[in-house]
Amino acid sequence: MIQRLQSLLLFFGAIFLFLIVYFFPVFQTEKSTYFLTEYFPVIRFLLFASSGLSIFSIFQFKNRQRQLLLVGFSRLLITVSFLLLIFIYREDKSFGLGSFLLLIPYLSLLASSFFIKKDQRLIKSADRIR
C-alpha cells in the first residue's frame, strides 16, 4: 500500500541509500575521494541489503509485526555499516558527505517504524470497539 506514510518513508530511505552508494563520497583526503562503489564492498553489501529489506517491508503491510522486524533489521544494517566506516576504515581520512547522509535513511526508517506502531495501535483500538 503505497499511500501509507510509512511506505513512502521506507521507499525514500531505500532510494536514498542507493544515492549514497553511487553519488556521495564517504571519505576524502586531500588527493582523492572514496566512494562506496569503488571501495568498501562489505559496507556496500550491507547498505544494499538494508535497501532491499526496506523495499520488501513495504509489501508486508498485512503483517505489521514482520514489517517492524524488517525495518528494525534494516536500521541495524545501517548502524553496522556506519560503525564499520568509523572504526575500521577511517584511518587518516576525513569524513565525506556520504558518511553524514547515512543519518537520513536511518531517521526515515525510524519514522516509518513509528507510523507502523501507530497503525498497530489504531487497529487494536478498532478491534476493542467491536
Side-chain angles (χ1 to χ4, degrees):
M1 297 223 331
I2 296 296
Q3 70 266 21
R4 294 173 40 211
L5 183 60
Q6 58 266 31
S7 299
L8 293 174
L9 286 170
L10 287 168
F11 184 72
F12 172 73
I15 294 298
F16 212 78
L17 282 172
F18 276 112
L19 289 176
I20 289 171
V21 168
Y22 286 110
F23 296 111
F24 296 107
V26 237
F27 290 123
Q28 295 177 342
T29 60
E30 293 156 4
K31 297 179 182 179
S32 63
T33 58
Y34 295 92
F35 289 91
L36 287 174
T37 54
E38 301 163 0
Y39 306 99
F40 319 116
V42 173
I43 296 173
R44 183 176 55 231
F45 173 74
L46 289 175
L47 292 180
F48 282 151
S50 174
S51 179
L53 282 175
S54 296
I55 295 293
F56 180 67
S57 67
I58 291 173
F59 300 106
Q60 298 297 314
F61 58 90
K62 290 186 179 183
N63 191 347
R64 284 172 300 283
Q65 289 293 356
R66 183 181 305 151
Q67 194 176 26
L68 274 173
L69 182 69
L70 289 172
V71 169
F73 193 65
S74 181
R75 276 195 331 244
L76 177 71
L77 290 177
I78 292 174
T79 304
V80 167
S81 66
F82 186 70
L83 291 176
L84 283 174
L85 277 175
I86 290 174
F87 293 118
I88 294 178
Y89 293 115
R90 181 158 182 229
E91 297 167 3
D92 59 346
K93 303 171 209 112
S94 63
F95 288 114
L97 185 61
S99 298
F100 298 115
L101 289 180
L102 280 175
L103 188 63
I104 293 174
Y106 185 84
L107 291 177
S108 173
L109 291 174
L110 195 65
S112 67
S113 67
F114 170 77
F115 285 112
I116 293 168
K117 288 177 187 176
K118 188 176 176 182
D119 272 359
Q120 204 167 11
R121 286 191 305 265
L122 180 69
I123 297 295
K124 282 184 182 179
S125 70
D127 286 342
R128 278 186 290 218
I129 293 174
R130 287 190 227 169

